[in-house]
Amino acid sequence: MVIALLKAFVVGGLICVIGQLLIDLTKMTPARILVLFVCLGVLLGGLGLYQPLVDFAGAGATVPLTGFGNALAKGVKEAVQKDGFLGVVTGGFTACAAGVTVAMLSGLVVSLICRPKDK
């Protein structure tokens, strides 16, 4: 149990370190880094290279943005096998619908509790 937590912490931390280095050492904006991480997760997931990292690190690999990209790729793969070409369009939505819904509802609840202000 402790080893699994340590693996998740180290892998998730390394992904975050890469993101921080990209912010500090390049002129990339956080939005572009977000898109880069999601696309990298889709690419690695589509090629089957991300699953060994998920098997090794668990939540340390599935919680960061690269894990979201991997979930999209996995959903598309499964939907294409089940529904054919239509799965290219529907697979990613189906695979990530619960996570996106929770994120949106959490944002709504926080915005109702806190008073957001324009900068």
Short mmCIF file of all heavy atoms in Angstrom, two decimals, residues 38-53 66 69-78 81:
data_model
loop_
_atom_site.label_atom_id
_atom_site.label_comp_id
_atom_site.label_asym_id
_atom_site.label_seq_id
_atom_site.Cartn_x
_atom_site.Cartn_y
_atom_site.Cartn_z
N VAL A 38 -2.71 17.04 -22.66
CA VAL A 38 -3.85 16.23 -23.07
C VAL A 38 -3.54 15.52 -24.39
O VAL A 38 -3.78 14.32 -24.53
CB VAL A 38 -5.14 17.07 -23.17
CG1 VAL A 38 -6.27 16.26 -23.80
CG2 VAL A 38 -5.55 17.59 -21.81
N CYS A 39 -2.98 16.26 -25.36
CA CYS A 39 -2.64 15.65 -26.66
C CYS A 39 -1.57 14.58 -26.50
O CYS A 39 -1.62 13.53 -27.16
CB CYS A 39 -2.19 16.72 -27.65
SG CYS A 39 -3.53 17.80 -28.17
N LEU A 40 -0.61 14.81 -25.63
CA LEU A 40 0.42 13.81 -25.37
C LEU A 40 -0.20 12.55 -24.76
O LEU A 40 0.16 11.43 -25.13
CB LEU A 40 1.49 14.38 -24.43
CG LEU A 40 2.73 13.54 -24.20
CD1 LEU A 40 3.49 13.34 -25.51
CD2 LEU A 40 3.62 14.20 -23.18
N GLY A 41 -1.15 12.73 -23.86
CA GLY A 41 -1.85 11.59 -23.28
C GLY A 41 -2.65 10.81 -24.32
O GLY A 41 -2.66 9.58 -24.32
N VAL A 42 -3.29 11.53 -25.25
CA VAL A 42 -4.03 10.87 -26.33
C VAL A 42 -3.07 10.09 -27.22
O VAL A 42 -3.32 8.93 -27.56
CB VAL A 42 -4.83 11.90 -27.16
CG1 VAL A 42 -5.38 11.27 -28.43
CG2 VAL A 42 -5.97 12.49 -26.34
N LEU A 43 -1.97 10.72 -27.58
CA LEU A 43 -0.99 10.07 -28.46
C LEU A 43 -0.40 8.82 -27.81
O LEU A 43 -0.39 7.74 -28.40
CB LEU A 43 0.13 11.05 -28.83
CG LEU A 43 1.22 10.51 -29.73
CD1 LEU A 43 0.67 10.22 -31.12
CD2 LEU A 43 2.36 11.50 -29.82
N LEU A 44 0.08 8.97 -26.58
CA LEU A 44 0.66 7.83 -25.88
C LEU A 44 -0.37 6.74 -25.59
O LEU A 44 -0.08 5.55 -25.68
CB LEU A 44 1.33 8.28 -24.58
CG LEU A 44 2.57 9.16 -24.75
CD1 LEU A 44 3.04 9.66 -23.39
CD2 LEU A 44 3.67 8.44 -25.47
N GLY A 45 -1.61 7.16 -25.27
CA GLY A 45 -2.68 6.19 -25.04
C GLY A 45 -3.06 5.46 -26.31
O GLY A 45 -3.29 4.25 -26.30
N GLY A 46 -3.13 6.19 -27.42
CA GLY A 46 -3.47 5.58 -28.70
C GLY A 46 -2.42 4.59 -29.16
O GLY A 46 -2.74 3.58 -29.79
N LEU A 47 -1.17 4.86 -28.85
CA LEU A 47 -0.08 3.95 -29.22
C LEU A 47 0.10 2.81 -28.22
O LEU A 47 0.92 1.92 -28.44
CB LEU A 47 1.23 4.73 -29.34
CG LEU A 47 1.29 5.77 -30.47
CD1 LEU A 47 2.57 6.60 -30.36
CD2 LEU A 47 1.17 5.10 -31.82
N GLY A 48 -0.64 2.86 -27.12
CA GLY A 48 -0.54 1.82 -26.10
C GLY A 48 0.65 1.97 -25.17
O GLY A 48 0.99 1.05 -24.43
N LEU A 49 1.28 3.15 -25.18
CA LEU A 49 2.46 3.39 -24.35
C LEU A 49 2.13 3.95 -22.98
O LEU A 49 2.98 3.94 -22.08
CB LEU A 49 3.43 4.33 -25.08
CG LEU A 49 3.94 3.84 -26.43
CD1 LEU A 49 4.76 4.93 -27.11
CD2 LEU A 49 4.73 2.57 -26.27
N TYR A 50 0.92 4.46 -22.80
CA TYR A 50 0.57 5.08 -21.51
C TYR A 50 0.06 4.06 -20.50
O TYR A 50 0.21 4.26 -19.29
CB TYR A 50 -0.47 6.19 -21.72
CG TYR A 50 -0.52 7.19 -20.59
CD1 TYR A 50 0.44 8.19 -20.50
CD2 TYR A 50 -1.49 7.13 -19.61
CE1 TYR A 50 0.42 9.11 -19.47
CE2 TYR A 50 -1.52 8.04 -18.57
CZ TYR A 50 -0.56 9.03 -18.51
OH TYR A 50 -0.58 9.93 -17.48
N GLN A 51 -0.54 2.97 -20.97
CA GLN A 51 -1.11 1.99 -20.06
C GLN A 51 -0.08 1.38 -19.11
O GLN A 51 -0.38 1.19 -17.94
CB GLN A 51 -1.84 0.89 -20.84
CG GLN A 51 -2.68 -0.01 -19.96
CD GLN A 51 -3.74 0.75 -19.15
OE1 GLN A 51 -4.41 1.63 -19.66
NE2 GLN A 51 -3.86 0.40 -17.88
N PRO A 52 1.15 1.08 -19.55
CA PRO A 52 2.13 0.57 -18.58
C PRO A 52 2.42 1.56 -17.45
O PRO A 52 2.63 1.16 -16.31
CB PRO A 52 3.38 0.32 -19.43
CG PRO A 52 2.87 0.10 -20.81
CD PRO A 52 1.65 0.97 -20.92
N LEU A 53 2.39 2.86 -17.76
CA LEU A 53 2.59 3.87 -16.72
C LEU A 53 1.41 3.87 -15.76
O LEU A 53 1.59 3.99 -14.54
CB LEU A 53 2.78 5.25 -17.35
CG LEU A 53 3.12 6.38 -16.40
CD1 LEU A 53 4.46 6.12 -15.70
CD2 LEU A 53 3.16 7.70 -17.15
N THR A 66 -2.47 14.27 -18.64
CA THR A 66 -2.10 13.20 -19.58
C THR A 66 -3.02 12.00 -19.39
O THR A 66 -3.34 11.30 -20.35
CB THR A 66 -0.64 12.79 -19.38
OG1 THR A 66 -0.40 12.55 -17.98
CG2 THR A 66 0.32 13.85 -19.88
N GLY A 69 -6.17 12.61 -21.36
CA GLY A 69 -5.95 12.29 -22.77
C GLY A 69 -5.95 10.79 -23.01
O GLY A 69 -6.50 10.30 -24.00
N ASN A 70 -5.33 10.05 -22.10
CA ASN A 70 -5.32 8.60 -22.21
C ASN A 70 -6.74 8.04 -22.13
O ASN A 70 -7.10 7.12 -22.88
CB ASN A 70 -4.45 7.99 -21.11
CG ASN A 70 -4.41 6.49 -21.16
OD1 ASN A 70 -4.13 5.90 -22.19
ND2 ASN A 70 -4.70 5.86 -20.04
N ALA A 71 -7.56 8.58 -21.24
CA ALA A 71 -8.95 8.12 -21.13
C ALA A 71 -9.73 8.40 -22.41
O ALA A 71 -10.54 7.58 -22.85
CB ALA A 71 -9.64 8.79 -19.94
N LEU A 72 -9.47 9.54 -23.04
CA LEU A 72 -10.10 9.84 -24.33
C LEU A 72 -9.72 8.81 -25.38
O LEU A 72 -10.57 8.29 -26.10
CB LEU A 72 -9.70 11.24 -24.81
CG LEU A 72 -10.30 12.44 -24.09
CD1 LEU A 72 -9.62 13.72 -24.54
CD2 LEU A 72 -11.79 12.51 -24.34
N ALA A 73 -8.42 8.52 -25.47
CA ALA A 73 -7.94 7.56 -26.47
C ALA A 73 -8.52 6.17 -26.20
O ALA A 73 -8.94 5.48 -27.14
CB ALA A 73 -6.42 7.51 -26.45
N LYS A 74 -8.55 5.77 -24.95
CA LYS A 74 -9.09 4.45 -24.60
C LYS A 74 -10.58 4.37 -24.95
O LYS A 74 -11.05 3.37 -25.49
CB LYS A 74 -8.89 4.17 -23.11
CG LYS A 74 -9.27 2.77 -22.70
CD LYS A 74 -9.19 2.57 -21.20
CE LYS A 74 -7.79 2.44 -20.73
NZ LYS A 74 -7.68 2.07 -19.32
N GLY A 75 -11.32 5.44 -24.67
CA GLY A 75 -12.74 5.47 -25.01
C GLY A 75 -12.99 5.38 -26.50
O GLY A 75 -13.90 4.68 -26.95
N VAL A 76 -12.17 6.07 -27.28
CA VAL A 76 -12.31 6.02 -28.73
C VAL A 76 -11.98 4.62 -29.25
O VAL A 76 -12.71 4.08 -30.09
CB VAL A 76 -11.42 7.09 -29.41
CG1 VAL A 76 -11.35 6.87 -30.91
CG2 VAL A 76 -11.94 8.48 -29.10
N LYS A 77 -10.91 4.03 -28.74
CA LYS A 77 -10.55 2.66 -29.16
C LYS A 77 -11.70 1.69 -28.91
O LYS A 77 -12.07 0.90 -29.79
CB LYS A 77 -9.33 2.17 -28.39
CG LYS A 77 -8.01 2.54 -28.96
CD LYS A 77 -6.94 1.87 -28.11
CE LYS A 77 -5.57 2.14 -28.58
NZ LYS A 77 -4.54 1.53 -27.74
N GLU A 78 -12.25 1.72 -27.71
CA GLU A 78 -13.34 0.80 -27.35
C GLU A 78 -14.59 1.06 -28.19
O GLU A 78 -15.24 0.11 -28.64
CB GLU A 78 -13.66 0.92 -25.87
CG GLU A 78 -12.56 0.40 -24.96
CD GLU A 78 -12.79 0.69 -23.49
OE1 GLU A 78 -13.83 1.30 -23.14
OE2 GLU A 78 -11.91 0.33 -22.69
N GLN A 81 -14.19 -0.23 -31.79
CA GLN A 81 -14.35 -1.68 -31.85
C GLN A 81 -15.82 -2.08 -31.74
O GLN A 81 -16.25 -3.04 -32.38
CB GLN A 81 -13.55 -2.36 -30.74
CG GLN A 81 -12.06 -2.27 -30.93
CD GLN A 81 -11.28 -2.80 -29.75
OE1 GLN A 81 -11.84 -3.10 -28.70
NE2 GLN A 81 -9.97 -2.91 -29.92
#
